[in-house]
Amino acid sequence: MPVKALYPGTFDPPTNGHVDLIQRGAKLFDHLTVAVLNNPVKNPLFTVAERVEMLTEATASIGNVSVSMFDGLMVAFARQLGATAVLRGIRAISDYEHEFQMALMNRRLAPEIESVFLQPAGRYSFVSSRMVKEVFSFGGDVTGLVPPNVLKRLRTRINGKS
Ligand SMILES: Nc1ncnc2c1ncn2[C@@H]1O[C@H](COP(=O)(O)OP(=O)(O)OP(=O)(O)O)[C@@H](O)[C@H]1O
Ligand SMILES: [Mg+2]
């Protein structure tokens, strides 16, 4: 039976760390759905639709990946997709505590779904959406840390240039 996985996140914006994880996940699973959580509480820089577009562009060359969005409980969306695995990334020990708590809560909610953790390439292990936004907004160069299409959108959004 084909194994479907869900990779949920905020992706505000997608980084090369996210893309690295998607590439690894796409090799491991028959199909991977990358899904943007619609969480209005987080006061995002990009709309959910923009984040879905950026992820779609950045993963266009990977055949077994699709991109969507979801609201509410992640495991409910995973069940809706027929996913039996949830992909998450661990950059450092600091990610572990929160991921571990979420994985155990999700297991309680949906025991049939396994959380799978992958490490990115070492060169992306320090990259977060928050740092990318912070550094870029102060004029720092984030080339190589985000896909080219994301860099373009950051320029338009933060500098008002295209
Ligand atoms: N550079 C990276 N390498 C591997 N996994 C990552 C990387 N960045 C994020 N992830 C993982 O991707 C998932 C979704 O992360 P999320 O959308 O919160 O990104 P983030 O970069 O942590 O954003 P923020 O800085 O806003 O918290 C999480 O499991 C997170 O650990
Ligand atoms: Mg995070």
Side-chain angles (χ1 to χ4, degrees), residues 7-11 17-18 88-89 91 99 120 124 127-130:
Y7 178 30
T10 310
F11 306 108
H18 294 130
R88 298 287 290 176
R91 286 163 286 197
E99 292 293 339
Y124 300 131
V127 180
S128 71
S129 299
R130 185 183 58 78

Side-chain angles (χ1 to χ4, degrees), residues 4-146:
K4 294 183 196 171
L6 169 64
Y7 178 30
T10 310
F11 306 108
D12 185 43
T15 68
N16 281 343
H18 294 130
V19 174
D20 177 287
L21 221 71
I22 293 166
Q23 285 166 342
R24 289 172 202 280
K27 282 191 215 156
L28 206 54
F29 303 111
D30 296 298
H31 190 270
L32 180 65
T33 301
V34 182
V36 177
L37 169 62
N38 184 17
N39 180 3
V41 185
K42 263 200 166 179
N43 189 24
L45 179 63
F46 293 101
T47 66
V48 170
E50 287 171 322
R51 285 176 266 156
V52 167
E53 265 176 41
M54 287 187 276
L55 283 165
T56 305
E57 290 161 5
T59 61
S61 62
I62 318 173
N64 59 337
V65 170
S66 55
V67 183
S68 85
M69 59 87 73
F70 72 106
D71 288 293
L73 216 50
M74 187 275 291
V75 291
F77 183 61
R79 277 176 171 161
Q80 202 181 305
L81 292 173
T84 52
V86 168
L87 176 63
R88 298 287 290 176
I90 299 277
R91 286 163 286 197
I93 290 293
S94 50
D95 277 335
Y96 183 74
E97 191 170 345
H98 180 236
E99 292 293 339
F100 180 75
Q101 282 187 355
M102 277 198 301
L104 291 184
M105 178 58 84
N106 286 333
R107 177 177 283 165
R108 184 175 186 276
L109 296 168
E112 80 281 14
I113 299 174
E114 291 295 342
S115 295
V116 175
F117 300 99
L118 294 178
Q119 295 77 41
R123 64 186 176 282
Y124 300 131
S125 64
F126 66 95
V127 180
S128 71
S129 299
R130 185 183 58 78
M131 275 242 270
V132 162
K133 284 183 282 192
E134 217 166 274
V135 167
F136 188 87
S137 69
F138 292 121
D141 186 10
V142 297
T143 308
L145 302 185
V146 296

